[in-house]
Structures are given as C-alpha cells and as structure tokens.
Amino acid sequence: MSELLIKDVEKTFVETFQTEPLLIFSPGRINIIGEHTDYNDGFVFPAAVDKGIAAAIQKSDTGKSTAIALDLDSTIEFELDKLKPSKEGSWENYVFGVVAEIQNRNIVVGDFNIMFKGNIPGGAGMSSSAALENSVVYGLNELFDLGLSKHDMILISQKAEHNYVGVKCGIMDQYASMFGIENNALHLDCRSVESKPYEINFKDHQLMLINTNVKHSLSDSAYNDRRSACESISELLGVKALRDATEADLETIMNEVTPSNYQKALYVIQENERTLKAAKAIEDGDLQKLGKLIYQSHAGLSDQYKVSCEELDFLVTQAKKNKHVLGARMMGGGFGGCTINLIANTEAESFAETASKAYKQKFDKECSVYFIQLSDGTHVVK
Ligand code: GLA
C-alpha cells in the first residue's frame, strides 16, 4: 500500500516541479504499552508500522520554498529567513517548526520544495505528526548533507512540536518512527533514549487496531496539563521525574496534592511498572499476562489519568466480552483515536465485525479496523 503512496507522490512532484525528487518514507507507530510515561522519563513499548507519510523533496532555485500536502490539497510558499508559526492547528507548522529548529542549531538549509501524501488517518493516535516531522528533517538532512544523526533528528522533530505546534510531547513517537525495525517493537527507556528491540511474533495471536474515528477537542491542552501536573508532583517529591518515584514515595505527599493529581501520578508510576512487566511477559511468551497488563493500562488511562473517552471505553468493553481478546486499551495521547487489541488470529475478523456493528449501533458512526505490520523507521526510498 505504501508503494502506491510513494509512486503517487513521485509522479505528482515530477509533474509539478519538472525534476526528480528524493523520496522518503516515514512511518507512524503503535504502542503496545507505556502510555504517558515518556515525558516522565519512563519506559514505552512502541513499534513503527506500515502506514505513514511519503515525502518527495528537492532543492528549489526560485528563491522560495514550497510545501504541498496532497491529501489536504494545500500549498504553502515560504521564505526560510522569515519563518514563524502559522495559526494553531495548521499543518505547515510541522514543516516550519522542523526548519526553524535546524536553523536554531546554526545549521543552514537552502530553499526546497516538498510534497507529502500519507495513509495514517489524522487523530488516530498513530503519530502522523511525528511521521511528518521526521520526513522533513530526514529529507533535509539528506538533501543538504547536514550531518545530523538520527538522535539529532528526533530531537529536532520533538522541539518543532513543542515550539511550533504547541504540544509538549515526549520522545516516543519521533523515536519509534525514526528507529523502527521490521517485525520488532522497541522497549525504549525515555531517559537514556536507548531501546532494546523485541521481535514480535505472537504466533496464534496478533495486534489489531480499531479507530474510533473521533478526536475530541482540547486534547492538546489536556495533554500539556497532564505533563505539568506530573512535573509539579516530581518537584514536590524532589525527584527529577516520576520515573524515579515509588508508590510509597507518593504516599508521603498525599495530603499536599489534589486527589485527582495523586491518581495521575499513581497511574504513571504503575504504568511504568507495567511496561517493564510487559517486556518480561513477551520474553516469557506469556500472552495472557501481557493481555492483563494491557487491560490494566486502559483502566488506569481511563479512571486515573482521565484521557480516555466514551468511544474508546466502549470498544475496550466490547473486547472484554470476547475471551479471544487477551488485552485491549486506548493507544496514544487519548481523547479518541485507536484501541490496540491483542487477539487470537482466528477470531480477529469476526471480532472486528461484531465490534464495528455494536459501535455503529451505539454511536451512529463507523469505526475502522487496521491490521498492521511492524516496519522499518524513516528511510530513503530512492
Ligand atoms: C502522544 C505524545 C507522546 C506520548 C503519547 C502518550 O502520542 O506525542 O509523546 O506522550 O501521547 O503516551
């Protein structure tokens, strides 16, 4: 499917700019477990997938740069020495942000034309943003020989999101999209920013996504609020990040924080533990255990961290009713997007059908089911 995407973007680029582009594919990601732990210096368990952004890029000699989002039918012309954030929610902020963060490192990029086409639905919680940022920084690095390492590039992508998009995200999405390995998930320590790959072969089980196709507003500000709540609790505890705190530590300040912030910090500490246990369960081939941890993760995200929504909770409840689904939970930042389901191969199609019907009946709208392949990270296609 991604081959078609790449062919499409190449053809349209050549028609538009009469020159052969450099082609980059940058994937989205899933996350098995470890949600909202990344900005707490904790552990996460993501993998790059076979859906993402295809970008075509080439130098421009017109004194201007152009970015074209084919899916949105939107073209933006800009000058590199006059970059500033566009209004909130504009797609071009991902491009401007990456260029500006490269320039902040006193690295000079020349004018360029870039064109994108993607197959990750926006708001699915599969990191189309990180895929887009990484495609820009990777393309510019290749095109202008900037000498940036992959680690440099993901930090640039992350800062673009902080400073131009306005979401104070962690490093999980950019890391998974950049460093993904075919058939593997990455057990990532977000403090050292180093990961251990785990080959994912669940034999008679698989991971399946169901997209609620909703994205509730205010999710960005709710995200930033969660992050600052975590940071103020770490400060109160005198630790660098919640990753360094235990449940017992947290109890010592119980009376100094609101009950709702207490639950949030407790969630983070517990989710971090679950992520370590999940790695062990995968090593042991204990899928029942992994599934339980995934269900617990959802309960925490919904009841304690309060980032789920009615649609996500409904799909997880449907999963729980089916004994062939070992685990299910919301994935990504929350307030909409996908659930990730650990399900028996033989039951995947029929559960997808039952859950879709029930969802339609309940919300009078469609959900979408994705069967995914774990794939390589951002790379040059040609
Ligand atoms: C979003 C952010 C990530 C991470 C997840 C929640 O995807 O971009 O950094 O915090 O939410 O786990």
Side-chain angles (χ1 to χ4, degrees), residues 47-61:
V49 292
D50 56 339
K51 285 179 185 292
I53 305 265
I57 186 169
Q58 197 43 272
K59 293 177 184 171
S60 149
D61 53 14

Side-chain angles (χ1 to χ4, degrees), residues 206-210 315 319 325 327-328 339-343 351:
Q206 61 179 292
L207 296 168
M208 181 181 90
L209 306 182
I210 308 183
L315 287 177
V325 189
T339 61
I340 180 167
N341 301 266
L342 176 59
I343 184 166
F351 172 65

Side-chain angles (χ1 to χ4, degrees), residues 59-95:
K59 293 177 184 171
S60 149
D61 53 14
T62 62
K64 272 198 214 123
S65 295
T66 314
I68 303 178
L70 291 179
D71 300 315
L72 304 174
D73 198 14
S74 171
T75 300
I76 305 286
E77 279 197 354
F78 52 99
E79 289 171 53
L80 296 179
D81 53 356
K82 294 191 185 121
L83 288 176
K84 56 175 182 7
S86 288
K87 78 171 193 324
E88 213 186 304
S90 313
W91 69 270
E92 62 267 23
N93 277 336
Y94 296 99
V95 182

